[in-house]
Amino acid sequence: MTEPSVPLVRTILSCRCPRCGRGNLFNGVLSVHPRCPACDLDLRQTDTGDAGAVPIIILLGAIVGGMALWTEFRFEPSWWMHALLWPTVTVPAAIWLMRLSKSAMIAMQYRHRSTEMGL
Ligand SMILES: [Zn+2]
């Protein structure tokens, strides 16, 4: 097994390749490059599935739901204010958390199941 030289937390937070730490992991909002653009690590073998989405749905739903209730009872804004505010908060937060989650799963798979990633 190749020992990764990049710290795990930095790899996850920067959404970079788990092996070299230079290549960007994503080639879109949430789609992963098939190979690392910097070191050519084969990323097609990674499988993040739905494991990253479920905790984010639960956590973000609880936080945003709680904030919406608190805002409603505290400030009593009109309905259109809720319709404008919560998607503006929720969509970018969900995308950011999904990117971190996918990055974490790929980094952990690289660290612990690297033989299945063709290494
Ligand atoms: Zn790389």
Side-chain angles (χ1 to χ4, degrees):
M1 183 169 122
T2 306
E3 188 62 35
S5 59
V6 183
L8 185 64
V9 173
R10 196 175 92 198
T11 302
I12 293 169
L13 291 178
S14 65
C15 296
R16 299 287 174 177
C17 169
R19 181 164 70 185
C20 67
R22 291 179 286 130
N24 196 347
L25 214 50
F26 297 99
N27 63 358
V29 176
L30 289 173
S31 58
V32 177
H33 276 291
R35 302 187 83 84
C36 172
C39 72
D40 207 35
L41 173 66
D42 188 4
L43 296 169
R44 292 173 296 181
Q45 304 296 323
T46 60
D47 180 23
T48 56
D50 292 336
V54 172
I56 291 170
I57 290 169
I58 293 169
L59 182 72
L60 198 59
I63 291 171
V64 171
M67 287 170 54
L69 285 173
W70 180 81
T71 302
E72 174 62 26
F73 292 121
R74 178 76 170 94
F75 301 108
E76 297 179 7
S78 58
W79 67 268
W80 60 266
M81 196 67 144
H82 283 288
L84 200 68
L85 177 65
W86 300 117
T88 305
V89 170
T90 307
V91 172
I95 290 171
W96 179 66
L97 288 172
M98 277 301 299
R99 286 173 68 96
L100 289 181
S101 172
K102 276 187 152 191
S103 179
M105 291 187 145
I106 290 170
M108 296 301 276
Q109 284 179 13
Y110 176 76
R111 296 254 169 146
H112 300 291
R113 295 181 13 198
S114 60
T115 53
E116 296 175 19
M117 290 180 73
L119 301 174

